Amino acid sequence: ILCVVLGHLWVHVSAQEPLLVFSGDAVAMFLVLSAFGLTLSWQHRPLGFPDFVLKRMVRVMIPYWSVTVCILALDWILLEKQYSLTQLALTFAGINVNTELYQIDYARWYVTFILCWYLIFFIGMTYIQKRSLFFLVIAGSMFIINYYYIHLPWYQFMAFPSGYLLAKHYTRFNTVIERHSHRLWLLCIGGILGGIALKILIIKGMIDPLVPSIVLMGIKELVSLVLCGAAILFTGLTGMQNKQSAAFVFLGGISYELYLLHGVFLVKYNPFFLS
């Protein structure tokens, strides 16, 4: 969430364009952790559709609805902005598929995206035997269809399947980390440095002439997954040494709410930055 907040703040309010922005990589982490948590929970206790919807409603939709009411009220009071009944119905349903609804706040597109993944997850876990292949095929299909046809501002399509695979092989990963923790520090550092180096090459435009744009998008997603894997590995290795950050633990507990609220108050209603 800190990467998302800093990325949006810097991009929208700073005259100096940053060399590195990790907000997109942080979105990938959101999706990885969402799939990871869902999968572990499902392995412990599979849910029927009503219970599955109820849990997602409590965790995702109630905060989303609460924040939406506040933002719509502030839009009306501060910006004299009103929305049609159709737009209100769509955004309260979590269906944000046009520019005006995206701009209510920075979280609109992500909520729609994650709701799609929740439905895909339930179908896969309930009706599909080869789930890993199913999620990967769906992600690849979404990536291609979005690139060529529907052009929604969605990205990080492979992050959710990656979180599922991480949970599916969680015991194996833990065993490897416990047995090879010293060696994995090198892998962790290498992943971070390598991911940052590739991001710089992409930002500098040094890879663009070499590959088609759709391949470049795939490379960007791969870089994000490498950085997510390195961050997760770093957290695991430090946790094995009984070290943790109280600040990060606290922020992690309210990360979704911060994500829903940060954009409008940092930028949209900020009287010093009207861009």
Side-chain angles (χ1 to χ4, degrees):
I1 184 61
L2 291 178
C3 290
V4 172
V5 171
L6 291 174
H8 283 159
L9 178 63
W10 203 333
V11 166
H12 288 279
V13 305
S14 174
Q16 179 68 40
E17 184 175 346
L19 176 62
L20 288 172
V21 175
F22 294 99
S23 52
D25 311 300
V27 169
M29 182 68 86
F30 264 56
L31 291 161
V32 168
L33 295 179
S34 293
F36 178 78
L38 277 174
T39 304
L40 288 185
S41 177
W42 188 280
Q43 291 173 350
H44 177 69
R45 182 191 169 205
L47 297 175
F49 190 69
D51 290 334
F52 182 80
V53 170
L54 181 61
K55 290 197 72 172
R56 304 287 75 74
M57 186 177 296
V58 170
R59 183 67 190 94
V60 176
M61 295 308 293
I62 289 180
Y64 169 78
W65 289 331
S66 301
V67 170
T68 298
V69 170
C70 294
I71 293 173
L72 294 176
L74 289 171
D75 272 6
W76 180 65
I77 295 169
L78 299 177
L79 306 178
E80 298 183 353
K81 174 72 174 177
Q82 299 183 40
Y83 300 88
S84 69
L85 289 177
T86 300
Q87 290 172 328
L88 292 174
L90 286 173
T91 200
F92 273 100
I95 305 172
N96 302 285
V97 290
N98 62 51
T99 302
E100 189 162 27
L101 295 182
Y102 299 144
Q103 293 177 349
I104 292 177
D105 71 77
Y106 292 123
R108 300 286 112 171
W109 76 269
Y110 176 80
V111 172
T112 306
F113 190 44
I114 196 65
L115 289 177
C116 289
W117 269 116
Y118 286 157
L119 178 59
I120 293 166
F121 176 82
F122 180 82
I123 293 171
M125 299 301 285
T126 305
Y127 302 108
I128 306 298
Q129 292 294 323
K130 297 183 178 180
R131 295 164 181 166
S132 300
L133 179 62
F134 172 74
F135 292 135
L136 290 171
V137 168
I138 291 293
S141 300
M142 291 170 69
F143 177 85
I144 293 171
I145 292 170
N146 190 63
Y147 180 85
Y148 284 111
Y149 300 107
I150 58 180
H151 310 298
L152 294 173
W154 293 0
Y155 56 99
Q156 306 297 1
F157 292 93
M158 289 296 172
F160 196 93
S162 298
Y164 166 78
L165 291 171
L166 181 62
K168 181 180 178 182
H169 301 289
Y170 182 48
T171 302
R172 294 181 184 177
F173 285 126
N174 269 346
T175 301
V176 171
I177 290 174
E178 290 171 358
R179 291 179 179 177
H180 306 285
S181 58
H182 297 294
R183 297 177 184 176
L184 290 175
W185 275 112
L186 295 176
L187 180 63
C188 176
I189 295 170
I192 293 172
L193 295 178
I196 290 175
L198 283 171
K199 282 181 72 72
I200 292 174
L201 291 176
I202 292 170
I203 292 168
K204 295 286 189 180
M206 299 177 69
I207 298 180
D208 297 40
L210 304 177
V211 297
S213 59
I214 189 171
V215 176
L216 182 62
M217 289 182 64
I219 293 173
K220 290 179 179 179
E221 292 210 4
L222 179 61
V223 170
S224 291
L225 291 178
V226 168
L227 289 171
C228 286
I232 290 170
L233 184 57
F234 176 83
T235 305
L237 292 171
T238 54
M240 288 175 62
Q241 299 178 12
N242 296 318
K243 296 178 181 178
Q244 67 175 14
S245 165
F248 285 170
V249 170
F250 171 74
L251 289 173
I254 60 171
S255 59
Y256 179 56
E257 289 75 13
L258 284 176
Y259 180 75
L260 292 174
L261 287 167
H262 80 280
V264 290
F265 290 104
L266 281 178
V267 180
K268 192 174 184 180
Y269 305 136
N270 190 329
F272 300 103
F273 306 106
L274 302 178
S275 60

